[in-house]
Amino acid sequence: MIGVVRALSLVAAVRDWVFLTWAALLDVVAVAPAVAVLVARRQAAALAAPLENLSRHCRAVTEGHLTARVASSSIAEIPQVARTHNEMLHSVSELL
């Protein structure tokens, strides 16, 4: 035998530490879904806003407002759709 290590812990102290650790984990489990839902709702609103704007402009065009133009967006695909929509309106305006 080379050496001996002797450790002593009170059972109550270990039990309390385990209880507090489990309580902290349960708190995280309870809060995480709420945070995930809030983040998902915010992200969905940010993604849907440019499409709702495009929809409003399309409705304005169907009502005869050929001067309605769609603004660009930070979402990668929306500026291309907005450009195409605006070019289409320009062509229709020139034809009329």
Side-chain angles (χ1 to χ4, degrees):
M1 185 181 312
I2 296 175
V4 174
V5 175
R6 190 169 182 189
L8 176 66
S9 281
L10 297 177
V11 173
V14 173
R15 185 178 43 236
D16 290 345
W17 181 80
V18 169
F19 176 74
L20 289 174
T21 302
W22 275 103
L25 287 173
L26 289 175
D27 288 344
V28 169
V29 168
V31 171
V35 171
V37 167
L38 291 175
V39 169
R41 288 177 59 100
R42 184 170 184 242
Q43 190 66 22
L47 291 172
L51 294 174
E52 291 169 353
N53 185 30
L54 180 62
S55 176
R56 276 192 302 276
H57 280 83
C58 289
R59 267 188 258 120
V61 170
T62 60
E63 293 170 358
H65 302 287
L66 296 180
T67 58
R69 296 294 185 258
V70 180
S72 189
S73 172
S74 61
I75 300 172
E77 293 81 7
I78 300 297
Q80 181 180 359
V81 173
R83 255 191 323 277
T84 304
H85 177 77
N86 293 339
E87 289 170 3
M88 176 198 63
L89 282 177
H90 181 72
S91 298
V92 168
S93 295
E94 285 184 349
L95 288 173
L96 290 177

